[in-house]
Amino acid sequence: MRLSRYFMPILKENPKEAEIVSHRLMLRAGMIRQQSQGIYSWLPLGKRVLDKVNAIIRDEQNRAGAIELSMPTLQSAELWQESGRYDAYGKEMLRIKDRQDRPMLYGPTNEEMVTDIFRSSVKSYKDLPLNLYHIQLKFRDEIRPRFGTMRSREFMMKDAYSFDLTREAAEHSYNKMFAAYLRTFDRLGLRAIPMRADTGPIGGKLSHEFIILADTGESEVFCHKDFVDFDIPGEHTDFDNVEALQAIFDKWTSLYAATSEMHDEAAFNAVAEGDRLSARGIEVGHIFYFGTKYSEPMGAKVQGPDGKEHFVHMGSYGIGPTRLVPAIIEASHDDNGIIWPASVAPFDIVVINMKAGDQACDDTCELIYAALSKAGKDVLYDDTDDRAGTKFATADLIGVPVQIIAGPRAVANGEVEVKDRKTGARETMTIEAAINRFVV
Ligand code: 5CA
């Protein structure tokens, strides 16, 4: 991508409305734009990061056996009247009428709709277990939308829904998502700790929130400090192995960890003082087991091996991609801007032409840009005629992991500079060496 032809509206000034660093940097880097309170456009740079986050989420959901579909944002009120949640959900639900005066709503979550899909076609235990997910916009008319896309009214959610014949089988489905979440957040460069959590309007008794420790987090959390160094389930985890997944769950729930709603002061005080961690955190995922809470009122049942009909046991599993992007920035930035983990960086490499219009600089940059693009790298080429200082500031702000800098003096020697955004380390090398370093 040539920067001269891209759309990346950088802000020079610090936006006044931004209270936390991620919100400030997302606005300054031209990643998002607020359209009305708590409702955002994702501009091209932000969209790239969001897509990469979603690709990792999708990959791990698929690995754990979940199946992707797509459900609409607008739902009929009837379904919610069946489950009894239409009145219970309150003012957070955006209620709309269509031209025939039929009550509709912008979905805040999808338990009812997915249960409707399930009951319309699944009739036998032989079709279980089943886990269906989508990555879709949701709307919740939050009282206090704030911190940019961290808590917005319209936001994206990956929501998965599992269906099983028995409670035991449903617990295995829960454990699959539990392990998939540990892997997902790790691949996003984050340490998320599962904590016992309140179930709120979704319901059920068994629930964990996945929390990232951050000073700007909205939740107050309490946990054992050893969680910070626990091993993440490996790539070859067998998600069908019931015992292996139970062992992962047992290990990750063996020590104290709870959000403030579930906090048990006495149990926390039983943890050795030096091992106690009381901090603030960002909830990036939330999983629930709620048994037959929706299947019973909505009549979602299957025939069991005993020939009788059984209401299915369900769970739901949410991740907030549009919250994860700012959460990653909270965890990874410095005074100059964002520092993206390579797995979600909007570009792999930025090529900076320090003197656009200078033949040797132009030729060198074109050569590097073409070679790296051909090798499948996402390359941003800063071919604008901005001052070098502005280009450096922009490259640092948008946080691309590697900068290749071509200035007239180095280029005259057949060389460029390679800068690591995270460490700031710079290395001068031949043009060929710079290309070869990133082409494998
Ligand atoms: N149906 C269940 C799980 S599929 C559910 O709705 N769970 S939730 O309410 O906990 O939301 C799941 C995730 O969505 C949260 O962990 C959070 O990451 C994200 N999320 C929730 N509300 C917002 C919001 N207002 N802005 C941004 N992300 C949000």
Side-chain angles (χ1 to χ4, degrees), residues 74-87 93 95-96 102-105 112:
L74 293 181
Q75 306 188 17
S76 149
E78 271 171 37
L79 276 178
W80 289 67
Q81 281 153 352
E82 275 191 61
S83 74
R85 272 207 298 185
Y86 189 61
D87 296 324
M93 183 188 277
R95 296 156 207 257
I96 318 160
R102 277 190 294 248
M104 310 280 294
L105 56 101
E112 285 76 0

Side-chain angles (χ1 to χ4, degrees), residues 31-255:
M31 292 177 64
I32 52 168
R33 176 176 166 73
Q34 180 167 271
Q35 301 300 152
S36 52
Q37 197 197 21
I39 301 180
Y40 287 84
S41 289
W42 283 74
L43 304 182
L45 191 76
K47 174 77 163 61
R48 276 181 169 264
V49 178
L50 188 58
D51 285 349
K52 291 205 173 178
V53 167
N54 283 337
I56 290 175
I57 293 173
R58 184 174 280 124
D59 196 40
E60 293 300 333
Q61 289 293 295
N62 295 348
R63 186 197 303 277
I67 306 167
E68 188 170 10
L69 78 170
S70 178
M71 293 178 266
T73 51
L74 293 181
Q75 306 188 17
S76 149
E78 271 171 37
L79 276 178
W80 289 67
Q81 281 153 352
E82 275 191 61
S83 74
R85 272 207 298 185
Y86 189 61
D87 296 324
Y89 216 93
K91 288 200 160 183
E92 274 203 1
M93 183 188 277
L94 181 64
R95 296 156 207 257
I96 318 160
K97 284 209 170 134
D98 70 8
R99 66 200 294 166
Q100 270 101 29
D101 233 20
R102 277 190 294 248
M104 310 280 294
L105 56 101
Y106 192 137
T109 174
N110 280 58
E111 279 80 5
E112 285 76 0
M113 188 173 277
V114 76
T115 304
D116 178 57
I117 292 173
F118 179 90
R119 73 179 171 188
S120 70
S121 44
V122 183
K123 305 288 177 208
S124 164
Y125 75 95
K126 291 181 187 154
D127 297 323
L128 302 183
L130 184 65
N131 184 327
L132 299 173
Y133 77 97
H134 69 164
I135 302 180
Q136 177 63 289
L137 292 171
K138 304 282 182 287
F139 193 95
R140 292 181 186 172
D141 205 349
E142 301 263 354
I143 307 181
R144 226 152 60 99
R146 57 180 187 157
F147 302 156
T149 64
M150 189 79 91
R151 176 172 297 283
S152 49
R153 295 199 297 166
E154 189 188 55
F155 60 95
M156 196 170 269
M157 197 195 288
K158 182 290 295 177
D159 37 329
Y161 302 87
S162 65
F163 302 89
D164 286 279
L165 182 65
T166 63
R167 184 188 166 108
E168 294 69 43
E171 279 171 0
H172 178 51
S173 293
Y174 188 91
N175 292 347
K176 284 189 201 172
M177 287 293 111
F178 189 95
Y181 275 35
L182 292 173
R183 287 190 45 78
T184 303
F185 298 126
D186 184 59
R187 285 182 62 188
L188 296 171
L190 296 169
R191 169 57 48 145
I193 302 173
M195 307 205 182
R196 290 278 316 284
D198 189 22
T199 57
I202 307 294
K205 289 206 179 67
L206 175 62
S207 170
H208 288 89
E209 281 180 14
F210 286 73
I211 304 272
I212 286 161
L213 304 181
D215 294 341
T216 47
E218 291 187 286
S219 326
E220 203 184 351
V221 297
F222 305 86
C223 69
H224 195 291
K225 78 167 177 29
D226 282 2
F227 277 117
V228 176
D229 300 313
F230 266 21
D231 286 342
I232 301 294
E235 197 175 356
H236 300 294
T237 302
D238 177 0
F239 281 84
D240 291 326
N241 185 328
V242 175
E243 291 77 32
L245 279 240
Q246 189 61 44
I248 292 170
F249 176 84
D250 289 346
K251 169 151 194 239
W252 278 87
T253 52
S254 61
L255 300 175

Side-chain angles (χ1 to χ4, degrees), residues 3-23:
L3 187 54
S4 63
R5 296 186 201 163
Y6 198 44
F7 180 66
M8 198 172 80
I10 300 281
L11 297 184
K12 295 228 163 46
E13 306 296 321
N14 265 332
K16 290 188 296 295
E17 70 268 32
E19 295 167 62
I20 60 172
V21 67
S22 57
H23 188 195

